[in-house]
Amino acid sequence: MNYSTKRNLLTGASGFLGKAIFSESNLDFITIGRSKHQDICFDLTSGIPNLPNIDIVVHAAGKAHQIPKNLEEENIFTNINVIGTKNLLAAFSKDNLPSKFIYISSISVYGCDMGHFINEDHPLLAKDVYGKSKIIAEQLIREWCKDHKVICTILRLPLIVGNNPPGNLGKMINSIKNRYYFNIASGSARKSMVLASDVAKFIPKVVEIGGTYNLTDGYNPSFYELSHMISNQIGRAWIPNLPITPAKLIAYFGDFFGDRFPLNSNKLIKMTSELTFDDSKARKTFSWDPTPVLKAFSII
């Protein structure tokens, strides 16, 4: 590996968004991670890596898509999202500083289950372990960049959409394929989301200026629209609807069975509450003009 021609570092390159950043951002990356397929095979939770001279750091590594069931699982979020970030920052000395640092954060830092066009000035009120770990990582990076005069960019992302998505979107696709998905209260609740490819292409634009930005597709599809788009692609014409009253009854019983039950009160709130984010700051500053998810997302 000729590091002299590769001046940018990407963490999380094997992850869902990391793959898109690596292939679609038009930046030439050295990658670091636990996989032997990375340029630098190193677990950031285990210590401080030795790094070559770097110009741009894109820190996309992180733990998500899981609700911890015990303290041990909670500690995994802290180790990866906080300790891993500390160790990455510690790898750079005053003689080996990058000029720019981009952190892939999450709208989870706001701690909101519902809301309409929440902007970057909203207080960071996350109470879950994932959201709190992202808040701490943001603070560490922002302070470090300020102390070392490094241009700092923080991207707070909602649901990320692309081929073979993980997390709740992947579960939604599988449940529609297996015919056990249903919309609740007509699926009218809208959620912010963004294409992974659009995030990747935005990075070279934002990196020179920095700042904190929400990114969305600007349309914020409803569950009804998203589910019917998916069902049409797989040749299933009908998505059943569950009215809110029986949904509440099912959720009540689901609270006694835990997160594995198809519906509980927490899931019901998320599926029936609008949660959208304001990306006007990115639009005004960089002419952010993403592709609507409903027009571009293909699962086949």
Side-chain angles (χ1 to χ4, degrees), residues 64-211:
H65 308 303
Q66 177 186 344
I67 298 176
K69 301 179 179 63
N70 50 51
L71 182 59
E72 181 179 357
E73 292 186 357
E74 289 184 5
N75 288 337
I76 294 175
F77 282 90
T78 301
N79 288 337
I80 295 176
N81 296 343
V82 178
I83 303 302
T85 297
K86 284 183 178 180
N87 287 338
L88 176 62
L89 295 174
F92 299 104
S93 67
K94 64 179 181 179
D95 299 320
N96 181 32
L97 289 174
S99 65
K100 308 165 190 74
F101 196 109
I102 295 181
Y103 180 53
I104 303 300
S105 189
S106 166
I107 51 87
S108 294
V109 297
Y110 298 117
C112 297
D113 288 325
M114 61 187 72
H116 182 68
F117 289 114
I118 296 165
N119 67 24
E120 295 86 352
D121 294 326
H122 191 282
L124 307 186
L125 302 174
K127 296 181 180 179
D128 65 292
V129 65
Y130 171 64
K132 289 193 292 186
S133 70
K134 299 298 274 189
I135 291 174
I136 295 171
E138 280 194 15
Q139 292 171 339
L140 288 169
I141 291 165
R142 192 178 289 110
E143 292 171 3
W144 182 88
C145 287
K146 181 180 179 180
D147 290 342
H148 295 89
K149 296 180 173 58
V150 174
I151 297 174
C152 178
T153 302
I154 294 173
L155 302 181
R156 292 176 180 159
L157 305 183
L159 177 68
I160 304 171
V161 179
N163 292 331
N164 193 27
N168 289 333
L169 182 55
K171 293 177 182 177
M172 181 179 184
I173 293 170
N174 287 331
S175 62
I176 291 174
K177 286 180 177 179
N178 292 301
R179 297 182 177 273
Y180 56 81
Y181 177 85
F182 48 85
N183 282 315
I184 298 176
S186 301
S188 60
R190 292 186 173 274
K191 302 290 183 180
S192 286
M193 53 193 72
V194 67
L195 291 170
S197 57
D198 278 337
V199 175
K201 294 169 185 175
F202 182 69
I203 286 175
K205 298 179 181 179
V206 70
V207 69
E208 299 295 336
I209 296 177

Side-chain angles (χ1 to χ4, degrees), residues 26-81:
N26 292 325
L27 294 173
D28 197 11
F29 285 112
I30 301 167
T31 63
I32 182 171
R34 290 176 292 181
S35 168
K36 63 181 180 180
H37 300 294
Q38 306 305 313
D39 296 320
I40 302 173
C41 182
F42 190 86
D43 182 355
L44 286 172
T45 67
S46 67
I48 301 171
N50 293 317
L51 298 176
N53 291 329
I54 297 296
D55 182 24
I56 300 171
V57 177
V58 179
H59 186 25
K63 175 66 175 176
H65 308 303
Q66 177 186 344
I67 298 176
K69 301 179 179 63
N70 50 51
L71 182 59
E72 181 179 357
E73 292 186 357
E74 289 184 5
N75 288 337
I76 294 175
F77 282 90
T78 301
N79 288 337
I80 295 176
N81 296 343

Side-chain angles (χ1 to χ4, degrees), residues 246-256 261 263-266 268:
K248 288 181 178 179
L249 181 61
I250 295 172
Y252 173 79
F253 287 104
D255 291 339
F256 294 97
F261 198 75
L263 190 63
N264 56 37
S265 295
N266 184 50
L268 181 62

